[in-house]
């Protein structure tokens, strides 16, 4: 099983600042990595798929990079609605795993 | 507009069974794999099970293999998760989600999610 480890667990930033979230896989997942945003009481929302592709309707301030075992989600300038929990997810064949999540909170 | 609506959650005693349903609309249901993901209270996301578009291939997390069964009825645009011998640790919100890609293409993600249904296992 491929384990995804996200860092940091919590990121305390102010609106307008840049957020950089990391996701490391225990073995190569090629570019088969997705990122999700989840707000309290809501279902997750797909942000990025295949490491660097923005999903439909996702603002350009969200970007994803990486391949193999190291991936990054960057939010270029935090908006008030971006404070949430972010999860990375990988698929190995037909088995999916999620990272433990990074909470982006208001400083 | 794509919509996924889960139902069937509730309070159930340890060792009992429960069936969750996910009714879909707004897309060609049979073209897409469907997945169940759960989230225990205050915890992260856990993949549970996936079924291919035609229903012939089914995949399970180790934590539920042998106890849960995923199925689908493409004539009813509905996916199911049968939960048997439930345990306290199965307590969670259960979400159904649609694959971004049709067919069996690797990668992608889950582009639409339902609102979730809560399963609480307690005596």
């Amino acid at each position: 099983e491929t384990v995804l480890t996200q860092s940091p667990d919590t990121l305390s930033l102010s609106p307008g600042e840049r957020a950089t979230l990391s996701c490391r896989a225990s073995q190569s997942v090629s570019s088969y990595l997705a990122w999700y945003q989840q707000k309290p009481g809501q279902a997750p929302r797909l942000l990025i798929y295949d490491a660097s592709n923005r999903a439909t309707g996702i603002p350009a301030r969200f970007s994803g990079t990486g391949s193999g075992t190291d991936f990054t989600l960057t939010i270029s300038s935090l908006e008030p609605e971006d404070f949430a929990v972010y999860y990375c997810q990988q698929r190995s064949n037909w088995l999916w795993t999620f990272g433990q999540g990074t909470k982006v909170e208001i400083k | 507009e794509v919509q996924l609506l889960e139902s069937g959650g509730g309070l159930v005693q340890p060792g009992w069974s429960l069936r969750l349903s996910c009714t879909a609309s707004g897309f060609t249901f049979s073209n897409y794999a469907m997945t169940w993901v759960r989230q225990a209270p205050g915890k992260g996301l856990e993949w549970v099970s996936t079924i291919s578009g035609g229903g012939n291939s089914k995949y399970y997390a180790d934590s539920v293999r042998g106890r849960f069964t995923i199925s689908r009825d493409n004539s009813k645009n509905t996916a199911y998760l049968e939960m048997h011998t439930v345990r306290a640790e199965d307590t969670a919100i259960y979400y159904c989600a649609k694959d971004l890609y049709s067919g069996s293409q690797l990668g992608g993600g889950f582009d639409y999610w339902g609102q979730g249904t809560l399963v609480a296992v307690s005596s």
Side-chain angles (χ1 to χ4, degrees), chain A residues 36 38 43 50 87 89 91 94, chain B residues 39 44 59 101 105 108 110 114:
Chain A
Y36 297 84
Q38 188 180 33
D50 295 347
Y87 295 94
Q89 176 201 43
R91 172 184 173 178
W94 283 95
Chain B
Q39 187 168 36
Y59 308 89
Y101 294 139
Q105 183 176 348
F110 304 142

Side-chain angles (χ1 to χ4, degrees), chain A residues 26-94:
Chain A
S26 60
Q27 59 188 298
S28 177
V29 298
S30 185
S31 61
Y32 302 141
L33 190 104
W35 289 94
Y36 297 84
Q37 177 194 68
Q38 188 180 33
K39 297 179 181 179
Q42 296 185 16
R45 177 174 70 146
L46 178 66
L47 299 175
I48 301 290
Y49 64 95
D50 295 347
S52 61
N53 298 293
R54 271 190 305 277
T56 302
I58 301 304
R61 64 181 181 273
F62 292 92
S63 64
T65 59
S67 66
T69 61
D70 290 298
F71 300 86
T72 300
L73 173 69
T74 301
I75 311 171
S76 59
S77 178
L78 284 165
E79 297 288 339
E81 62 267 28
D82 298 338
F83 292 92
V85 179
Y86 293 83
Y87 295 94
C88 58
Q89 176 201 43
Q90 69 82 32
R91 172 184 173 178
S92 300
N93 295 312
W94 283 95

